[in-house]
Amino acid sequence: MSVTTSEAEKHAAATYAAGLVEDGMRVGLGTGSTVAPLIPVLAARGLNLRCVATSVATAEAAVAAGLVVESFDALPELDIAIDGADQIAPGPWLIKGGGRAHTREKLVAVAAARFVVIASHEKPVPRLTPPVPLELLAFGLESTLMRLGQATVRGGVLSPDGGIIADWTGAFDDPAELARRLDADPGVVGHGLFEPGLVSDVVVATGADVEHTRFARP
Ligand SMILES: O=C[C@H](O)[C@H](O)[C@H](O)COP(=O)(O)O
């Protein structure tokens, strides 16, 4: 499909998700090209919303569109968060962080009562495959990389909070096992594996069709 179709699908998924937002809600805004069309559509609904942004780019776009953006500390609990993904596998398991924002995005997702993932048709996959974005602490970086073994630093790329952005490049069959290993390493600030239980809704647009799947959250 053409790039134009992909952009149209992102817009369709984003528009659908904007319709899940209700007046008075506290809203977490993700980062990336799928979230980009969400912002003006949400603003155009004219609802009374308070938003938290997961990146400077999203915050700037939201403010420019007329949305109220507050600090995360001012809004520590959210009613809904809406974000894109790099891969969506059965579970649903996600890989996020192609745009470096995965640590912030996971914090916002867990703070939200409902976490909605929006995507164009190419994001669903039968199983997750590398790379898995990482955010590493700068202190002890070489030591962390040696311990991980199969991680590559994205040269000169930092997270919104100054963390070193790298990618896990090793093959993996069991995302839960890899997530446990990454969570257990003191040099890993965050990783882009989002486990089942975090996601409450997946909205995927394929051409003009939008498929909405709901998942139980513990
Ligand atoms: O760090 C970036 C985020 O996790 C994005 O949500 C993810 O990379 C998907 O981005 P896009 O919507 O541009 O494909």
Side-chain angles (χ1 to χ4, degrees):
M1 287 188 188
S2 69
V3 172
T4 306
T5 302
S6 176
E7 295 308 310
E9 290 176 347
K10 290 175 184 179
H11 195 279
T15 300
Y16 183 96
L20 302 176
V21 178
E22 297 170 14
D23 196 41
M25 279 188 165
R26 299 158 298 178
V27 183
L29 299 172
T31 292
S33 60
T34 316
V35 166
L38 168 74
I39 292 169
V41 172
L42 195 54
R45 291 197 60 204
L47 303 173
N48 178 27
L49 305 174
R50 300 171 71 193
C51 302
V52 169
T54 52
S55 64
V56 173
T58 292
E60 289 178 350
V63 169
L67 291 169
V68 174
V69 177
E70 302 185 31
S71 77
F72 197 12
D73 288 332
L75 287 178
E77 291 181 315
L78 302 167
D79 298 295
I80 191 169
I82 304 173
D83 205 346
D86 300 307
Q87 298 177 40
I88 305 168
W93 274 96
L94 310 179
I95 288 181
K96 290 181 50 53
R100 305 177 284 126
H102 46 290
T103 303
R104 283 191 178 197
E105 291 171 338
K106 197 178 287 184
L107 280 165
V108 166
V110 299
R114 189 172 182 183
F115 178 46
V116 180
V117 178
I118 54 177
S120 47
H121 79 278
E122 74 276 13
K123 300 299 181 64
V125 293
R127 56 185 291 273
L128 300 181
T129 54
V132 177
L134 306 174
E135 177 170 346
L136 306 178
L137 198 64
F139 182 79
L141 178 62
E142 288 307 321
S143 179
T144 300
L145 290 171
M146 284 178 68
R147 212 165 37 244
L148 293 176
Q150 302 182 83
T152 306
V153 170
R154 287 190 219 166
V157 179
L158 300 179
S159 79
D161 300 293
I164 306 295
I165 296 297
D167 290 292
W168 171 268
T169 53
F172 59 94
D173 291 327
D174 183 355
E177 185 186 349
L178 178 57
R180 271 195 300 274
R181 177 175 172 190
L182 295 171
D183 283 330
D185 194 298
V188 177
V189 178
H191 60 79
L193 287 169
F194 283 48
E195 62 189 29
L198 203 48
V199 178
S200 45
D201 302 70
V202 173
V203 177
V204 178
T206 303
D209 295 331
V210 175
E211 184 177 6
H212 177 193
T213 311
R214 293 205 67 164
F215 297 89
R217 248 181 139 188

